Amino acid sequence: MKSFYITTAIDYVNGSPHLGHAYEKVLTDVIARFRRQMGDRVHFLTGTDEHGQKVQQSARARGIAPQQYVDEVSGEFRALLPQLNISNDDFIRTTEERHKRVVRQLLQQLFDKGEIYLAEYKGFYSTRQEQFLQEKDRQPDGSWPEIFGEVTEITETNYFFKLQRYQEWLVDFLAKHDDFIFPRYRQKQVLEFLKEPLNDLCISRPRERLEWGIPLPFDEKYVTYVWFDALVNYYSAVADRPGFWPADFHVIGKDILLPPHAVYWPIMLHALGLPLPKALLVHGWWSVNGVKMSKSTGNFIVPGDYTGEFGVDALRYFLVREMNVGQDSDFTRAQFLVRYNSELANNFGNLVNRTLNMTNRFGGGIVPAAGPTEETEQELQALWEKTRGEVIPLCEGFQFHTALEKTFGFITATNAYIEKRAPWKLGKSAEPKDQALLRTSLATMAEALRLAAALLQAVMPATTEKINAVLGYTPGPVWREELTWGTKLTGAKVAEALVLFPRPAPAK
Ligand code: MSP
């Protein structure tokens, strides 16, 4: 079986999880579930990024030890996963021994190979924030913002990783692998970025300034700084599980492509003689009501608020339907309600209600064998063939929003089919022809519902499971075989009713 190793970014633990974190998990989960359905042996990793200055500061501000602080916040991120029905196989924390061990091992290897050297680092340092500042932190008039307090130029001895010597190699690699980064235009941005010379990367901080990190194996007076620690998680999590490395996809947000994932990580791996990940999948950012998400401005969406009010699949559906992977999107409650009401409650929910209702009223609760079909049925079946044929390649290309649009087009067509056949009229006629058509229509709508649910399984796994249950149906082990229009439901005993998407209170 082909192995498919997919990862999310690991989240910083200096704040609670929000919609952006939730989106990345859901997107990656949809891909992981889709690949499993397609028969791959999937390994899905997520986790938390727990070292660094900010964590040390946040813990201090609360007067607790960093370890206690990261245990708490990492726990919140871990709790988000079942809330979103995420099917991850592993959860890594950078404070775990299995991770620290590998980071130290890799650092030592690079040091032994002469890829790491000691040099003076000169920069503007904020004592209040305990961090080096960058030119971009300056105000337009050249002064430093108030929050940094006193800023002084200091010189510090640190360890550097020889990034620059690999610049040409990286440009060459990207030129040869033009599908390394999805969407493709992001790869062009990386090549553009690489037109400027790279600096070697400072990978350490003196322990007297930053205690909360992994000590360098070759100099315990220093800890390793930020990216060297964080990026290695993808590898450390599978270091002793043969067959998974290299990763197939790292799913990340656009803010951490350049330089960490597109420059540092490939060069680190190359310098170590390790295979590179096959690809990076870069998603865009969610804003809320047109504004960047931030706790202070109050437009901070807590995923649990939506899963609590509307159910986990409503949120999963919205996030995947609304966002064109790679682009940015805006989250508003109004738009959420539009999709919830018209697509989920009215369109999809209605199909479920009608199918159960009609089968109970006119079929004694049993899905009948279809009688002869006519053009109306054949048209719906042809639409199904077309939809299935389009949706799978769309999912393979991460075009999930369009895949959902097409699937819902089929659901709309099935509802229209029911209107046209009007089983409630056929049910009143004693004509054998009408009775045969009634059986055909009941079988057709049930089969169409079963198929639509199968196609929605990766995005709405809980809903799909409920639908199969009320249809009295247990799917077989091979997903693709579930997508064939047939007679799998003939004789199935359906449930009385299922309310999937109850109507919410009107928009606030
Ligand atoms: N710890 C680093 C990543 C290290 S990966 C080796 C980090 N953490 S983060 O918590 O700030 O972000 C985690 C992920 O969430 C990133 O991929 C980031 O792009 C994503 N998002 C954070 N806010 C987001 C939105 N508003 N919208 C979509 N995704 C966003 O970066």
Side-chain angles (χ1 to χ4, degrees), residues 216-257:
L216 297 182
F218 44 83
D219 189 343
E220 299 270 326
K221 294 190 298 302
Y222 290 86
V223 297
T224 186
Y225 186 61
V226 188
W227 287 106
F228 220 97
D229 177 350
L231 288 163
V232 169
N233 90 86
Y234 303 134
Y235 179 73
S236 65
V238 295
D240 47 17
R241 291 185 204 224
F244 285 119
W245 192 260
D248 290 78
F249 276 99
H250 294 316
V251 179
I252 55 169
K254 62 179 185 178
D255 56 314
I256 55 171
L257 173 65

Short mmCIF file of all heavy atoms in Angstrom, two decimals, residues 216-257:
data_model
loop_
_atom_site.label_atom_id
_atom_site.label_comp_id
_atom_site.label_asym_id
_atom_site.label_seq_id
_atom_site.Cartn_x
_atom_site.Cartn_y
_atom_site.Cartn_z
N LEU A 216 22.12 23.38 22.59
CA LEU A 216 22.93 22.87 21.48
C LEU A 216 23.79 21.73 22.01
O LEU A 216 24.42 21.87 23.05
CB LEU A 216 23.83 23.98 20.93
CG LEU A 216 23.15 25.20 20.32
CD1 LEU A 216 24.21 26.16 19.78
CD2 LEU A 216 22.20 24.79 19.20
N PRO A 217 23.86 20.62 21.28
CA PRO A 217 24.62 19.47 21.79
C PRO A 217 26.12 19.78 21.86
O PRO A 217 26.81 19.19 22.68
CB PRO A 217 24.33 18.37 20.78
CG PRO A 217 23.84 19.06 19.56
CD PRO A 217 23.20 20.33 19.99
N PHE A 218 26.59 20.70 21.04
CA PHE A 218 28.03 20.98 21.01
C PHE A 218 28.39 22.23 21.81
O PHE A 218 29.54 22.62 21.87
CB PHE A 218 28.52 21.11 19.56
CG PHE A 218 27.60 21.92 18.69
CD1 PHE A 218 27.69 23.30 18.67
CD2 PHE A 218 26.64 21.30 17.91
CE1 PHE A 218 26.83 24.05 17.89
CE2 PHE A 218 25.77 22.04 17.12
CZ PHE A 218 25.87 23.43 17.11
N ASP A 219 27.40 22.88 22.40
CA ASP A 219 27.69 24.03 23.26
C ASP A 219 26.47 24.32 24.14
O ASP A 219 25.54 25.01 23.72
CB ASP A 219 28.06 25.26 22.42
CG ASP A 219 28.57 26.40 23.31
OD1 ASP A 219 28.34 26.35 24.54
OD2 ASP A 219 29.20 27.33 22.77
N GLU A 220 26.52 23.79 25.34
CA GLU A 220 25.35 23.85 26.23
C GLU A 220 25.05 25.26 26.74
O GLU A 220 24.06 25.46 27.43
CB GLU A 220 25.55 22.89 27.41
CG GLU A 220 25.71 21.43 27.01
CD GLU A 220 24.37 20.67 26.95
OE1 GLU A 220 23.49 20.98 27.77
OE2 GLU A 220 24.24 19.79 26.07
N LYS A 221 25.89 26.21 26.41
CA LYS A 221 25.61 27.59 26.83
C LYS A 221 24.57 28.25 25.93
O LYS A 221 24.15 29.37 26.16
CB LYS A 221 26.91 28.42 26.82
CG LYS A 221 27.93 27.96 27.86
CD LYS A 221 29.09 28.92 28.02
CE LYS A 221 29.94 29.13 26.77
NZ LYS A 221 30.54 27.86 26.23
N TYR A 222 24.17 27.54 24.89
CA TYR A 222 23.20 28.08 23.93
C TYR A 222 22.00 27.14 23.77
O TYR A 222 22.15 25.93 23.94
CB TYR A 222 23.84 28.24 22.56
CG TYR A 222 24.88 29.33 22.49
CD1 TYR A 222 26.20 29.05 22.83
CD2 TYR A 222 24.54 30.61 22.07
CE1 TYR A 222 27.15 30.05 22.76
CE2 TYR A 222 25.49 31.60 21.99
CZ TYR A 222 26.81 31.33 22.34
OH TYR A 222 27.74 32.31 22.26
N VAL A 223 20.87 27.74 23.42
CA VAL A 223 19.75 26.90 22.98
C VAL A 223 19.53 27.17 21.49
O VAL A 223 19.92 28.23 20.98
CB VAL A 223 18.43 27.19 23.74
CG1 VAL A 223 18.57 26.87 25.22
CG2 VAL A 223 17.95 28.61 23.52
N THR A 224 18.89 26.24 20.81
CA THR A 224 18.61 26.48 19.40
C THR A 224 17.35 27.34 19.28
O THR A 224 16.46 27.28 20.11
CB THR A 224 18.48 25.17 18.59
OG1 THR A 224 18.34 25.54 17.22
CG2 THR A 224 17.29 24.35 19.00
N TYR A 225 17.34 28.14 18.23
CA TYR A 225 16.33 29.17 18.16
C TYR A 225 15.28 28.91 17.08
O TYR A 225 15.60 28.75 15.90
CB TYR A 225 17.02 30.52 17.94
CG TYR A 225 16.07 31.66 17.99
CD1 TYR A 225 15.35 31.92 19.14
CD2 TYR A 225 15.86 32.47 16.88
CE1 TYR A 225 14.45 32.96 19.19
CE2 TYR A 225 14.96 33.52 16.93
CZ TYR A 225 14.26 33.76 18.08
OH TYR A 225 13.37 34.78 18.13
N VAL A 226 14.07 28.90 17.49
CA VAL A 226 12.86 28.87 16.67
C VAL A 226 12.82 27.86 15.51
O VAL A 226 12.39 26.74 15.71
CB VAL A 226 12.49 30.27 16.14
CG1 VAL A 226 11.14 30.24 15.46
CG2 VAL A 226 12.39 31.23 17.32
N TRP A 227 13.24 28.23 14.31
CA TRP A 227 12.91 27.38 13.16
C TRP A 227 13.68 26.07 13.15
O TRP A 227 13.17 25.07 12.67
CB TRP A 227 13.09 28.15 11.85
CG TRP A 227 11.99 29.14 11.71
CD1 TRP A 227 12.08 30.50 11.87
CD2 TRP A 227 10.61 28.87 11.46
NE1 TRP A 227 10.85 31.07 11.72
CE2 TRP A 227 9.93 30.11 11.48
CE3 TRP A 227 9.87 27.70 11.24
CZ2 TRP A 227 8.55 30.21 11.26
CZ3 TRP A 227 8.51 27.80 11.02
CH2 TRP A 227 7.87 29.04 11.04
N PHE A 228 14.90 26.10 13.65
CA PHE A 228 15.64 24.86 13.65
C PHE A 228 14.93 23.82 14.49
O PHE A 228 14.90 22.64 14.18
CB PHE A 228 17.08 25.06 14.16
CG PHE A 228 18.02 24.25 13.36
CD1 PHE A 228 18.72 24.82 12.31
CD2 PHE A 228 18.16 22.89 13.60
CE1 PHE A 228 19.54 24.05 11.52
CE2 PHE A 228 18.99 22.12 12.83
CZ PHE A 228 19.68 22.70 11.78
N ASP A 229 14.36 24.26 15.55
CA ASP A 229 13.59 23.40 16.44
C ASP A 229 12.26 23.01 15.78
O ASP A 229 11.96 21.83 15.59
CB ASP A 229 13.38 24.20 17.74
CG ASP A 229 12.54 23.51 18.78
OD1 ASP A 229 11.92 22.48 18.48
OD2 ASP A 229 12.49 24.03 19.90
N ALA A 230 11.49 24.01 15.36
CA ALA A 230 10.11 23.76 14.89
C ALA A 230 10.05 22.89 13.64
O ALA A 230 9.29 21.91 13.58
CB ALA A 230 9.41 25.09 14.64
N LEU A 231 10.84 23.22 12.63
CA LEU A 231 10.73 22.51 11.36
C LEU A 231 11.05 21.02 11.49
O LEU A 231 10.46 20.18 10.80
CB LEU A 231 11.67 23.15 10.32
CG LEU A 231 11.23 24.51 9.80
CD1 LEU A 231 12.40 25.23 9.14
CD2 LEU A 231 10.07 24.37 8.82
N VAL A 232 11.96 20.71 12.41
CA VAL A 232 12.40 19.32 12.55
C VAL A 232 11.26 18.40 13.02
O VAL A 232 11.32 17.19 12.85
CB VAL A 232 13.64 19.26 13.49
CG1 VAL A 232 13.98 17.84 13.89
CG2 VAL A 232 14.83 19.93 12.82
N ASN A 233 10.18 18.98 13.56
CA ASN A 233 9.08 18.13 14.06
C ASN A 233 8.57 17.14 13.01
O ASN A 233 8.20 16.01 13.31
CB ASN A 233 7.91 18.99 14.58
CG ASN A 233 6.89 19.32 13.52
OD1 ASN A 233 5.96 18.57 13.26
ND2 ASN A 233 7.08 20.45 12.83
N TYR A 234 8.55 17.61 11.75
CA TYR A 234 8.01 16.77 10.68
C TYR A 234 8.81 15.48 10.54
O TYR A 234 8.28 14.45 10.17
CB TYR A 234 8.07 17.51 9.33
CG TYR A 234 7.37 18.84 9.29
CD1 TYR A 234 7.97 19.97 8.71
CD2 TYR A 234 6.08 18.97 9.79
CE1 TYR A 234 7.31 21.18 8.63
CE2 TYR A 234 5.42 20.20 9.71
CZ TYR A 234 6.04 21.30 9.14
OH TYR A 234 5.39 22.49 9.06
N TYR A 235 10.11 15.63 10.81
CA TYR A 235 11.00 14.49 10.68
C TYR A 235 11.10 13.71 11.99
O TYR A 235 11.07 12.48 12.00
CB TYR A 235 12.38 14.98 10.22
CG TYR A 235 13.39 13.87 10.09
CD1 TYR A 235 13.32 12.96 9.03
CD2 TYR A 235 14.41 13.72 11.04
CE1 TYR A 235 14.24 11.93 8.92
CE2 TYR A 235 15.33 12.69 10.93
CZ TYR A 235 15.24 11.80 9.87
OH TYR A 235 16.13 10.77 9.77
N SER A 236 11.20 14.43 13.10
CA SER A 236 11.40 13.73 14.39
C SER A 236 10.22 12.80 14.71
O SER A 236 10.40 11.75 15.31
CB SER A 236 11.62 14.74 15.53
OG SER A 236 10.49 15.53 15.74
N ALA A 237 9.02 13.21 14.28
CA ALA A 237 7.83 12.40 14.59
C ALA A 237 7.85 11.03 13.91
O ALA A 237 7.20 10.10 14.38
CB ALA A 237 6.56 13.16 14.20
N VAL A 238 8.58 10.92 12.80
CA VAL A 238 8.61 9.63 12.10
C VAL A 238 10.02 9.06 12.01
O VAL A 238 10.26 8.09 11.27
CB VAL A 238 8.00 9.73 10.67
CG1 VAL A 238 6.52 10.06 10.75
CG2 VAL A 238 8.73 10.75 9.82
N ALA A 239 10.95 9.68 12.74
CA ALA A 239 12.36 9.27 12.63
C ALA A 239 12.53 7.78 12.87
O ALA A 239 13.34 7.13 12.23
CB ALA A 239 13.23 10.08 13.57
N ASP A 240 11.76 7.22 13.84
CA ASP A 240 11.92 5.77 14.03
C ASP A 240 10.72 4.97 13.52
O ASP A 240 10.41 3.90 14.03
CB ASP A 240 12.28 5.43 15.49
CG ASP A 240 11.38 6.15 16.46
OD1 ASP A 240 10.32 6.63 16.01
OD2 ASP A 240 11.74 6.24 17.66
N ARG A 241 10.03 5.54 12.52
CA ARG A 241 8.98 4.76 11.85
C ARG A 241 9.36 4.65 10.38
O ARG A 241 9.12 5.58 9.61
CB ARG A 241 7.65 5.50 11.92
CG ARG A 241 7.07 5.57 13.30
CD ARG A 241 5.72 6.22 13.14
NE ARG A 241 5.31 6.84 14.40
CZ ARG A 241 4.10 6.75 14.89
NH1 ARG A 241 3.18 6.09 14.24
NH2 ARG A 241 3.80 7.34 16.02
N PRO A 242 9.92 3.53 10.01
CA PRO A 242 10.39 3.41 8.62
C PRO A 242 9.24 3.53 7.63
O PRO A 242 8.11 3.15 7.94
CB PRO A 242 11.01 2.01 8.58
CG PRO A 242 10.93 1.45 9.95
CD PRO A 242 10.11 2.33 10.81
N GLY A 243 9.54 4.10 6.49
CA GLY A 243 8.57 4.12 5.41
C GLY A 243 7.75 5.39 5.28
O GLY A 243 6.95 5.51 4.35
N PHE A 244 7.90 6.32 6.20
CA PHE A 244 7.09 7.54 6.07
C PHE A 244 7.84 8.74 5.50
O PHE A 244 7.28 9.52 4.75
CB PHE A 244 6.45 7.91 7.41
CG PHE A 244 5.30 7.03 7.76
CD1 PHE A 244 5.31 6.26 8.90
CD2 PHE A 244 4.20 6.94 6.91
CE1 PHE A 244 4.24 5.42 9.21
CE2 PHE A 244 3.14 6.11 7.20
CZ PHE A 244 3.16 5.34 8.35
N TRP A 245 9.11 8.91 5.92
CA TRP A 245 9.85 10.04 5.38
C TRP A 245 10.31 9.72 3.97
O TRP A 245 10.75 8.60 3.76
CB TRP A 245 11.03 10.41 6.30
CG TRP A 245 11.58 11.74 5.88
CD1 TRP A 245 12.69 11.98 5.12
CD2 TRP A 245 10.97 13.00 6.12
NE1 TRP A 245 12.81 13.33 4.88
CE2 TRP A 245 11.76 13.98 5.48
CE3 TRP A 245 9.80 13.40 6.80
CZ2 TRP A 245 11.44 15.34 5.51
CZ3 TRP A 245 9.49 14.75 6.83
CH2 TRP A 245 10.31 15.70 6.19
N PRO A 246 10.26 10.65 3.02
CA PRO A 246 9.87 12.04 3.15
C PRO A 246 8.35 12.25 3.18
O PRO A 246 7.60 11.43 2.65
CB PRO A 246 10.44 12.68 1.88
CG PRO A 246 10.43 11.58 0.87
CD PRO A 246 10.71 10.32 1.65
N ALA A 247 7.94 13.36 3.75
CA ALA A 247 6.53 13.72 3.78
C ALA A 247 6.03 13.94 2.35
O ALA A 247 6.78 14.38 1.48
CB ALA A 247 6.34 14.98 4.60
N ASP A 248 4.77 13.63 2.14
CA ASP A 248 4.15 13.92 0.84
C ASP A 248 3.73 15.38 0.76
O ASP A 248 3.86 16.02 -0.27
CB ASP A 248 2.95 13.01 0.62
CG ASP A 248 3.41 11.59 0.40
OD1 ASP A 248 3.74 10.91 1.38
OD2 ASP A 248 3.47 11.16 -0.77
N PHE A 249 3.14 15.88 1.86
CA PHE A 249 2.71 17.28 1.89
C PHE A 249 2.91 17.90 3.25
O PHE A 249 2.51 17.31 4.25
CB PHE A 249 1.22 17.41 1.54
CG PHE A 249 0.97 17.43 0.06
CD1 PHE A 249 0.57 16.28 -0.59
CD2 PHE A 249 1.16 18.59 -0.66
CE1 PHE A 249 0.36 16.29 -1.96
CE2 PHE A 249 0.95 18.61 -2.03
CZ PHE A 249 0.55 17.46 -2.68
N HIS A 250 3.49 19.08 3.26
CA HIS A 250 3.40 19.94 4.44
C HIS A 250 2.31 20.97 4.14
O HIS A 250 2.46 21.75 3.19
CB HIS A 250 4.70 20.69 4.70
CG HIS A 250 5.86 19.81 5.07
ND1 HIS A 250 5.76 18.78 5.97
CD2 HIS A 250 7.16 19.86 4.70
CE1 HIS A 250 6.96 18.23 6.12
NE2 HIS A 250 7.82 18.84 5.36
N VAL A 251 1.24 20.98 4.91
CA VAL A 251 0.21 21.99 4.72
C VAL A 251 0.53 23.16 5.65
O VAL A 251 0.68 22.97 6.86
CB VAL A 251 -1.19 21.42 5.05
CG1 VAL A 251 -2.26 22.50 4.89
CG2 VAL A 251 -1.50 20.21 4.17
N ILE A 252 0.66 24.35 5.07
CA ILE A 252 1.05 25.53 5.86
C ILE A 252 0.31 26.76 5.36
O ILE A 252 -0.21 26.79 4.23
CB ILE A 252 2.57 25.82 5.73
CG1 ILE A 252 2.97 25.96 4.26
CG2 ILE A 252 3.39 24.74 6.42
CD1 ILE A 252 4.37 26.51 4.05
N GLY A 253 0.27 27.81 6.20
CA GLY A 253 -0.30 29.09 5.78
C GLY A 253 0.75 29.91 5.03
O GLY A 253 1.95 29.67 5.15
N LYS A 254 0.26 30.87 4.27
CA LYS A 254 1.15 31.64 3.39
C LYS A 254 2.21 32.43 4.15
O LYS A 254 3.26 32.75 3.60
CB LYS A 254 0.31 32.60 2.52
CG LYS A 254 -0.47 33.62 3.35
CD LYS A 254 -1.25 34.57 2.46
CE LYS A 254 -1.91 35.65 3.31
NZ LYS A 254 -2.65 36.64 2.51
N ASP A 255 1.95 32.73 5.43
CA ASP A 255 2.89 33.54 6.20
C ASP A 255 4.17 32.80 6.57
O ASP A 255 5.17 33.43 6.91
CB ASP A 255 2.21 34.03 7.49
CG ASP A 255 1.67 32.87 8.33
OD1 ASP A 255 1.03 31.98 7.75
OD2 ASP A 255 1.91 32.86 9.56
N ILE A 256 4.14 31.47 6.52
CA ILE A 256 5.34 30.73 6.94
C ILE A 256 5.98 29.95 5.79
O ILE A 256 6.76 29.04 6.00
CB ILE A 256 5.06 29.81 8.16
CG1 ILE A 256 3.89 28.85 7.88
CG2 ILE A 256 4.78 30.61 9.41
CD1 ILE A 256 3.72 27.79 8.97
N LEU A 257 5.62 30.37 4.57
CA LEU A 257 6.29 29.76 3.41
C LEU A 257 7.71 30.32 3.28
O LEU A 257 8.69 29.58 3.23
CB LEU A 257 5.49 30.04 2.14
CG LEU A 257 6.18 29.59 0.85
CD1 LEU A 257 6.33 28.08 0.80
CD2 LEU A 257 5.43 30.08 -0.38
#
